Amino acid sequence: RGLSPISVGPAYVLILGSYPGRQSLMKQEYYGNDKNHFWQIIESLFQIDRHLPYRVRTVQLSRRGVALWDVISECNRTGSSDTRIRDPVFNDIAGFLELNPSLHLVALNGSTAGRYYVRLNITTSVPFVILPSTSPANTKYTLDEKTKRWEIIRAPVKNPV
């Protein structure tokens, strides 16, 4: 079973991963693998220190209008690789979008999240973008290149703290 969404107050951006890796599930933390670039990118974009306790980081991110969740709520998978996902059960992303009319962008963390999101065929006026995966397995892009691509998540954020 995956993780619950993290969203406090109005969200302007919803970041969706595919499904948490083994370390994230064990820690019960989004992007809990220390080698994942997610929190480094967030630090660069929002000046949220990646070394802060997880709860503090997620609260600060929420205060900046960014929500976190995954496309898949549960699945069968050996290891952490997205290629091993079998029998996915999807989260109610459409319901989340409906309950959060302040959303201006859905950002998909990697092509697997993007593929599953498109498969859901959600009818909404909220645009989506598929961004380079922050996974350490994604070596196609450097950290700097990933960060540059991820800058789009700052654009729709209103009234950042």
Side-chain angles (χ1 to χ4, degrees), residues 38-56:
F38 181 81
W39 290 108
Q40 286 178 271
I41 292 169
I42 293 302
E43 181 176 45
S44 178
L45 298 179
F46 295 102
Q47 291 70 54
I48 298 171
D49 185 340
R50 69 181 182 268
H51 300 104
L52 288 170
Y54 176 74
R55 174 87 175 118
V56 174

Side-chain angles (χ1 to χ4, degrees), residues 6-7 14 16 29 36 43 53 59 61 70 83 86 96 112 118 123 129 140 151 154 159-160:
I6 294 181
S7 179
L14 172 59
L16 293 172
E29 296 181 359
N36 192 296
E43 181 176 45
V59 167
L61 192 58
D70 287 306
T83 61
R86 302 290 179 264
F96 188 91
T112 301
V118 168
T123 305
V129 61
K140 182 178 178 182
E151 284 179 356
R154 286 193 312 192
N159 303 320

Side-chain angles (χ1 to χ4, degrees), residues 3-159:
L3 304 174
S4 298
I6 294 181
S7 179
V8 179
Y12 304 104
V13 176
L14 172 59
I15 297 173
L16 293 172
S18 54
Y19 186 74
R22 187 180 349 191
Q23 290 180 42
S24 293
L25 290 170
M26 286 173 43
K27 291 181 176 181
Q28 289 294 288
E29 296 181 359
Y30 282 98
Y31 309 102
N33 180 339
D34 293 336
K35 293 179 181 171
N36 192 296
H37 288 148
F38 181 81
W39 290 108
Q40 286 178 271
I41 292 169
I42 293 302
E43 181 176 45
S44 178
L45 298 179
F46 295 102
Q47 291 70 54
I48 298 171
D49 185 340
R50 69 181 182 268
H51 300 104
L52 288 170
Y54 176 74
R55 174 87 175 118
V56 174
R57 284 180 277 148
T58 57
V59 167
Q60 288 187 11
L61 192 58
S62 285
R63 286 183 180 159
R64 286 164 173 83
V66 180
L68 297 176
W69 207 12
D70 287 306
V71 178
I72 298 171
S73 64
E74 58 186 279
C75 65
N76 292 316
R77 182 182 66 194
T78 303
S80 293
S81 174
D82 282 351
T83 61
R84 295 180 176 229
I85 292 173
R86 302 290 179 264
D87 309 314
V89 175
F90 300 104
N91 280 313
D92 183 13
I93 307 298
F96 188 91
L97 294 172
E98 190 174 311
L99 290 173
N100 292 276
S102 57
L103 283 168
H104 293 280
L105 181 67
V106 175
L108 297 145
N109 190 346
S111 60
T112 301
R115 186 171 57 254
Y116 283 123
Y117 182 81
V118 168
R119 186 167 139 186
L120 292 175
N121 199 28
I122 295 172
T123 305
T124 179
S125 61
V126 180
F128 71 91
V129 61
I130 300 172
L131 297 169
S133 173
T134 61
S135 167
N138 178 11
T139 58
K140 182 178 178 182
Y141 300 94
T142 66
L143 174 58
D144 286 342
E145 290 169 332
K146 289 178 187 181
T147 302
K148 186 76 173 155
R149 293 282 199 83
W150 275 79
E151 284 179 356
I152 192 169
I153 70 170
R154 286 193 312 192
V157 178
K158 308 292 184 198
N159 303 320

